[in-house]
Amino acid sequence: MLPLLRRVPRALGSAVSGLRAAPAPLPRPLLQPAPRPCVRPFGLLRVRAGLLRSRGPCSCGCGALHTQGDKAFVDFLNDEIKEERKIQKHKSLPKMSGGWELEVNGTEAKLVRKVAGEKVTVTFNINNSIPPTFEGEEEPTPAQGQKAEEQEPELTSTPNFVVEVIKDGGQKALVLDCHYPEDEVGQEEEEESDIFSIREVSFQSVSESEWKDTNYTLNTDSLDWALYDHLMDFLADRGVDNTFADELVELSTALEHQEYIAFLEDLKGFVKTQ
């Protein structure tokens, strides 16, 4: 089962006294909100009659709000958490090859590696890292004897990540903002193609706690291909290559799933009747 989905005028007419009433104008059509793409489909959602029952403080005198809807919500979360733990591939975060040291702070992760007088740091955040799925996309054909709901595609986290390279004793850091192009993720036909791209490059001061927008930033959209290739080679020489990018996706997906289950646990504890 897949994770829980995070989803989520009146016209008045008036008549002047003593005058003939003008016909009321047609109401203006309401603006319809744009549909949000489905990212994480519901796994066990079902309609419960208890959701429609009366709401209000319970009769126990504690003053808290205990509803049948809350109880149904907690039951649903219990089922969802069990299913998520059942399909969880990594009980602990996978390790990166190449001597990278991992630091995790909530949804943000940092990979650090020292190479011959240089410190290379890769930072990424798993929030909003799962590409949306749109209606009309091809769905996998269920295998023989397998139900359609058991053949749902696996969610993969492909976060943007920032590579920071600092020379020992240097005052500047070379910063490369990278991402996974949607048309490259999951493509295996061309083994030589890069599965990630550099989007922006800039220099930032090592002594500054926050990077400045006033520093010149090179956008690679209009960059000479020879310079771009040299930048990609520069990253590969420091361990940021296709192998690294593949392992980063696996690590990010495991971290995202871990944080999602923790969120469901917190949500259950918040809603649960004391």
Side-chain angles (χ1 to χ4, degrees):
M1 306 298 298
L2 284 181
L4 177 68
L5 176 64
R6 308 164 207 175
R7 290 188 183 185
V8 182
R10 213 167 37 170
L12 294 178
S14 62
V16 179
S17 177
L19 297 178
R20 181 180 178 183
L26 293 175
R28 297 175 62 184
L30 298 179
L31 294 177
Q32 298 297 327
R36 299 182 63 183
C38 174
V39 173
R40 190 188 294 276
F42 280 100
L44 299 172
L45 182 61
R46 52 189 176 275
V47 177
R48 298 175 182 267
L51 293 174
L52 303 178
R53 295 183 184 176
S54 61
R55 304 169 185 169
C58 68
S59 58
C60 68
C62 69
L65 187 66
H66 305 322
T67 69
Q68 291 296 322
D70 288 350
K71 183 179 182 303
F73 195 4
V74 171
D75 290 342
F76 164 72
L77 289 172
N78 278 327
D79 292 342
E80 189 74 4
I81 291 168
K82 288 179 183 177
E83 292 299 323
E84 291 298 328
R85 292 197 182 282
K86 204 183 298 183
I87 64 174
Q88 190 175 15
K89 292 177 63 176
H90 300 281
K91 303 306 178 184
S92 59
L93 296 178
K95 292 184 178 181
M96 301 281 292
S97 62
W100 294 92
E101 297 180 5
L102 174 64
E103 302 173 17
V104 178
N105 181 19
T107 61
E108 184 176 274
K110 183 181 294 186
L111 294 161
V112 181
R113 182 177 187 239
K114 293 185 178 181
V115 185
E118 295 181 356
K119 179 182 178 182
V120 184
T121 304
V122 178
T123 307
F124 65 93
N125 195 307
I126 54 94
N127 282 336
N128 303 312
S129 64
I130 297 179
T133 55
F134 299 94
E135 293 183 6
E137 289 187 352
E138 292 186 7
E139 297 182 358
T141 304
Q144 186 176 3
Q146 191 173 25
K147 296 180 179 179
E149 58 268 20
E150 296 176 355
Q151 190 68 15
E152 292 172 340
E154 180 181 348
L155 298 181
T156 302
S157 170
T158 54
N160 299 335
F161 60 94
V162 175
V163 183
E164 180 182 353
V165 182
I166 303 174
K167 302 279 187 180
D168 287 350
Q171 300 302 312
K172 290 183 178 181
L174 180 62
V175 179
L176 303 99
D177 185 358
C178 305
H179 72 118
Y180 293 89
E182 293 184 11
D183 56 346
E184 294 291 340
V185 176
Q187 300 295 326
E188 300 179 357
E189 292 84 358
E190 300 181 12
E191 296 181 0
E192 298 300 324
S193 64
D194 297 307
I195 64 174
F196 73 97
S197 300
I198 302 171
R199 183 156 45 195
E200 294 179 345
V201 186
S202 66
F203 278 107
Q204 299 293 337
S205 175
V206 174
S207 59
E208 298 287 342
S209 59
E210 294 185 2
W211 294 336
K212 293 183 178 179
D213 292 335
T214 54
N215 290 355
Y216 178 78
T217 299
L218 176 67
N219 190 302
T220 60
D221 287 344
S222 56
L223 192 63
D224 178 80
W225 277 107
L227 177 54
Y228 181 84
D229 287 342
H230 280 298
L231 287 171
M232 291 296 290
D233 291 341
F234 176 86
L235 287 180
D237 291 340
R238 285 150 183 82
V240 182
D241 52 13
N242 276 353
T243 299
F244 172 89
D246 275 331
E247 293 181 359
L248 182 61
V249 168
E250 184 178 4
L251 171 61
S252 180
T253 301
L255 178 59
E256 198 281 339
H257 200 185
Q258 175 180 289
E259 288 296 314
Y260 176 62
I261 294 174
F263 172 81
L264 293 181
E265 293 279 8
D266 289 343
L267 184 58
K268 183 186 75 172
F270 185 85
V271 176
K272 187 176 181 180
T273 302
Q274 302 297 326

